[in-house]
Amino acid sequence: MRPGLLVGCLLAGVALAAAALSLVWTPYDITQLAIAEKLHGPSVAHPFGTDHFGRDMLSMAMLGARVSIAVALVAVGIGMGAGVPLGLLAAANRGGWLDEVIMRGNDLIFAFPSLVIAILITAVFGPSAVNAIIAIGIFNIPVFARVTRGGALPIWTLDYIRAAEVSGKGGTLISLQHILPNIANLLIVQGTIQFSLGILAEAGLSYVGLGAQPPTPSWGRMLAEAQTMVTLAPHVAVIPGLCIVLTVLGLNLLGDGLRDALDPRLRVLR
Amino acid sequence: MLRYVFRRTISLGLSLLVASAVVFAVVELVPGDPASFMLGTGAQPETVAALREQLGLDQTLPVRYAAWAAALLQGDFGQSFTYKTPIAGMILDRMQVSLPLAMMALLLAASIAFPVGIYAAARRGRIGDAAVMGGTQLGIALPNFWFAMLLVLLFAITLRWLPAGGFPGWGQPGPAIKALILPAVALALPQAAILARVLRSALIDTQGQDYIRTARAKGLTAGQTLLRHALRNALIPVLTIMGMQFSFLLAGAIIIENVFYLPGLGRLIFQAISQRDLIVVQSAVLVLVAAVIAVNFLVDLAYAAIDPRLRRR
């Protein structure tokens, strides 16, 4: 296994495991405030220290992982759920008006600065994790549509697709049975990349108060709260930031590693 | 070329039209009525109705969109609900912070990315390349607002070299530029990482080309070939990415402006959101979107001017 892929798996795995573990167990109960122990640095009892309410930062970071990962994951789901069928449809109708309409619509969404629109959406419909998911998810749709269409087009010219057409299969059936399995690799890689971008976007939205709302902890909100205390206790700002960086780094390395590992042509080259 | 420009101009107009309709529609979906919000909870229904009429809120949607769009074309963005001042002036004021910030950040990103990308391509596959690529992975994963906080902690609070936030205005150019340095660095570094990677792979892509072999055959060193021949050809994808990055920086400055309390477009949007001053939100967002679409248009034209093969599409 390549070192990049290994490190990526490890980092992303830790984040996912922490989020999953937080569903059943965290070292401390974060609804219990302990003001006497506020802003303590890392120690044996609190490996990541405590925040301004004396809450355990490790427990907060684990719960924050859950929100960040859930938001980014569902946003990828929205992007794939809508983008892949659109891309398949465009490829099946390649050169036709449907293809043109879908791809021009894609270009249009691409032209929008996603962050601005995400802010607009969350501002209009009220800040919440659900609206953050929708805002991030919408901008995943054209990405997946484009990747799907791009991957599907060369496959449509292959002989076995001809054979399927001759045997009487329609465009939908061919897309699902023959095209989709062949572009699954591409979609997994793109999914990893959008997942990491989603975590960054969620962190940004929560940081400006447009993502998950109190009392739900999220990495972005932890950073926003840390901003005024950064001189007193730098660890409250450093730890959530490191969580974001390491998770995103892990996912990016995983995506790159998977692309190299799944693409036989790249394997031969090395 | 002329046909290409014509077609791109049409699609530019179409994009702007759709963008304005989308921005208008999204803001229209807002629950809550600006008139009753402005007057407070104790207002009489007649007063609210009168204000609604004054603001034109009693008209139908298409009528209001048409009126809004027509006024926009004449540079009239309307009046802020909260401040009762023309929005066009407010946006122009804020642009004087956001635009220089985005330009500084892009300049900075390019001046980091070019040497780094060229170095990595020249040392391809060796330890220097691996170190650069590892560093850029880290740069891409960095949330810029967090990086901004760390910069403030080090350079503003600990070392006291630069201000932690605020903007003195362009009346004092020295302090004004100083106030933009940390925000520009925070914005630039993640973009520099992306740009360096693009430049590196574009340079490496040219290496198998015949003209590179010819250049080497006529006696140029690997370094000379890279700088004189490969770099020029690698510039095309790099310029495209830079165009996209400029629009990203303009829009992405929203969050950074909040970290540094800079009176730019981003802060205007947030203030307007909290005051329910929707017409300001609408206008500021539209200006950002239009700027992004316009930059993309210019990049496309520049691209076609450099590379004739692209005009046929």
Side-chain angles (χ1 to χ4, degrees):
Chain A
M1 204 144 128
R2 286 150 215 278
L5 189 58
L6 191 68
V7 174
C9 277
L10 219 65
L11 289 174
V14 167
L16 283 171
L21 185 61
S22 78
L23 290 170
V24 290
W25 178 81
T26 52
Y28 291 84
D29 178 3
I30 63 143
T31 56
Q32 297 294 317
L33 308 186
I35 304 293
E37 292 181 31
K38 70 174 181 183
L39 298 178
H40 283 190
S43 63
V44 179
H46 300 282
F48 286 0
T50 59
D51 74 354
H52 57 304
F53 289 130
R55 294 176 294 187
D56 178 48
M57 290 281 288
L58 175 60
S59 308
M60 295 278 288
M62 286 170 67
L63 291 164
R66 193 159 92 195
V67 174
S68 295
I69 287 172
V71 168
L73 209 58
V74 179
V76 170
I78 292 176
M80 276 197 181
V84 173
L86 281 174
L88 288 175
L89 201 62
N93 293 284
R94 61 210 168 279
W97 64 269
L98 198 57
D99 181 22
E100 190 69 17
V101 169
I102 291 174
M103 292 326 284
R104 291 294 81 77
N106 259 342
D107 289 349
L108 206 68
I109 301 186
F110 256 134
F112 278 76
S114 49
L115 184 72
V116 178
I117 302 300
I119 285 173
L120 186 64
I121 291 175
T122 44
V124 164
F125 297 103
S128 75
V130 174
N131 289 338
I133 290 174
I134 296 171
I136 300 167
I138 288 175
F139 286 96
N140 279 337
I141 296 173
V143 176
F144 283 105
R146 195 170 278 198
V147 168
T148 304
R149 180 178 177 272
L153 283 182
I155 298 175
W156 270 102
T157 63
L158 299 180
D159 283 342
Y160 65 86
I161 299 292
R162 288 276 156 69
E165 275 180 316
V166 169
S167 72
K169 284 186 181 172
T172 315
L173 209 57
I174 292 178
S175 292
L176 291 178
Q177 285 187 341
H178 301 292
I179 308 278
L180 197 55
N182 278 299
I183 57 169
N185 285 350
L186 277 179
L187 295 179
I188 291 170
V189 171
Q190 196 62 44
T192 326
I193 295 168
Q194 295 312 116
F195 190 13
S196 83
L197 289 176
I199 286 180
L200 276 179
E202 192 277 336
L205 286 177
S206 316
Y207 174 75
V208 290
L210 295 175
Q213 293 299 299
T216 315
S218 85
W219 292 337
R221 250 175 36 79
M222 289 166 78
L223 280 177
E225 286 172 4
Q227 196 163 9
T228 50
M229 294 169 281
V230 71
T231 41
L232 296 171
H235 73 274
V236 292
V238 170
I239 283 166
L242 276 180
C243 289
I244 299 171
V245 171
L246 293 178
T247 308
V248 172
L249 181 66
L251 286 169
N252 284 342
L253 290 174
L254 189 64
D256 281 2
L258 281 178
R259 187 182 49 216
D260 294 352
L262 294 175
D263 190 337
R265 278 171 305 157
L266 289 173
R267 207 159 36 207
V268 174
L269 275 176
R270 280 182 68 111
Chain B
M1 182 73 194
L2 214 62
R3 260 193 64 193
Y4 179 81
V5 174
F6 180 70
R7 273 179 37 205
R8 280 298 289 126
T9 311
I10 298 229
S11 88
L12 168 78
L14 219 60
S15 302
L16 288 175
L17 194 72
V18 176
S20 66
V22 168
V23 171
F24 183 80
V26 169
V27 175
E28 282 306 315
L29 290 172
V30 180
D33 174 36
S36 34
F37 183 83
M38 284 160 70
L39 293 170
T41 42
Q44 299 293 322
E46 300 85 57
T47 329
V48 175
L51 185 63
R52 282 178 60 85
E53 200 187 320
Q54 194 196 328
L55 296 171
L57 293 171
D58 53 345
Q59 307 278 340
T60 60
L61 260 183
V63 171
R64 273 188 293 156
Y65 171 71
W68 179 66
L72 277 185
L73 286 177
Q74 294 161 15
D76 177 11
F77 287 74
Q79 280 211 340
S80 154
F81 289 161
T82 331
Y83 298 112
K84 311 278 182 269
T85 48
I87 296 169
M90 291 168 80
I91 290 180
L92 226 56
D93 274 357
R94 302 304 185 105
M95 272 292 198
Q96 290 175 9
V97 180
S98 295
L99 209 58
L101 177 60
M103 288 197 293
M104 260 173 89
L106 189 67
L107 214 64
L108 204 62
S111 49
I112 298 169
F114 271 82
V116 167
I118 292 171
Y119 172 78
R123 315 284 301 174
R124 179 188 179 190
R126 285 188 253 177
I127 186 90
D129 180 27
V132 165
M133 293 313 279
T136 55
Q137 280 283 14
L138 211 60
I140 291 172
L142 212 57
N144 56 19
F145 56 91
W146 182 59
F147 184 48
M149 285 167 74
L150 299 184
L151 286 176
V152 168
L153 190 60
L154 179 63
F155 291 104
I157 294 168
T158 311
L159 296 173
R160 297 185 178 281
W161 288 353
L162 291 161
F167 187 73
W170 288 111
Q172 304 157 265
I177 287 177
K178 257 181 123 176
L180 292 184
I181 291 178
L182 286 185
V185 171
L187 277 170
L189 203 76
Q191 300 305 313
I194 296 172
L195 201 57
R197 290 177 78 91
V198 172
L199 181 59
R200 172 186 176 273
S201 59
L203 281 172
I204 289 175
D205 279 348
T206 63
Q207 293 304 303
Q209 303 288 327
D210 287 341
Y211 63 84
I212 297 292
R213 202 170 314 131
T214 310
R216 295 282 282 139
K218 76 178 186 193
L220 293 184
T221 65
Q224 285 170 328
T225 323
L226 198 69
L227 288 179
R228 282 192 209 163
H229 298 281
L231 188 59
R232 272 197 186 182
N233 282 282
L235 272 184
I236 294 175
V238 169
L239 286 181
T240 320
I241 297 288
M242 282 179 73
M244 285 166 61
Q245 285 187 323
F246 182 70
S247 41
F248 176 85
L249 287 171
L250 205 54
I254 290 186
I255 290 178
I256 289 294
E257 282 173 8
N258 273 281
V259 179
F260 289 96
Y261 304 102
L262 293 175
L265 263 188
R267 271 193 70 74
L268 180 68
I269 291 176
F270 276 106
Q271 285 163 354
I273 285 172
S274 61
Q275 293 159 340
R276 275 258 166 279
D277 199 347
L278 291 176
I279 185 159
V280 173
V281 179
Q282 210 171 32
S283 312
V285 167
L286 187 67
V287 166
L288 275 181
V289 174
V292 170
I293 293 176
V295 170
N296 289 343
F297 171 73
L298 291 177
V299 169
D300 272 3
L301 288 194
Y303 208 3
I306 299 172
D307 191 340
R309 283 167 298 181
L310 288 163
R311 288 174 213 160
R312 266 180 251 131
R313 258 207 73 214

